[in-house]
Amino acid sequence: MKDLVDYQHQRIVALQSRVAELERYILELCDNDCSKEYKKVVLTELIKNR
């Protein structure tokens, strides 16, 4: 049972990390000072890593 709890905990930690990363990307993409080239690179990476 402890193994299952540890496994689920690690999944939650990994998902929280991914959500934080995506939030950062969203904030960067919404920034008016962000260049179009950078936006294109970020969007390409997000689509590629689905």
Side-chain angles (χ1 to χ4, degrees):
M1 182 70 171
K2 182 179 179 333
D3 291 339
L4 179 60
V5 171
D6 289 343
Y7 172 73
Q8 291 296 345
H9 176 72
Q10 291 303 319
R11 286 185 64 199
I12 290 168
V13 169
L15 287 171
Q16 287 174 331
S17 174
R18 181 66 175 152
V19 167
E21 179 185 11
L22 293 173
E23 287 174 342
R24 183 178 56 86
Y25 285 142
I26 289 170
L27 288 174
E28 289 176 352
L29 291 172
C30 291
D31 186 6
N32 289 333
D33 295 333
C34 184
S35 69
K36 289 184 180 187
E37 293 82 15
Y38 180 73
K39 287 180 182 184
K40 195 174 220 178
V41 169
V42 169
L43 289 172
T44 302
E45 286 298 315
L46 287 174
I47 292 169
K48 186 169 64 172
N49 290 329
R50 273 213 256 188

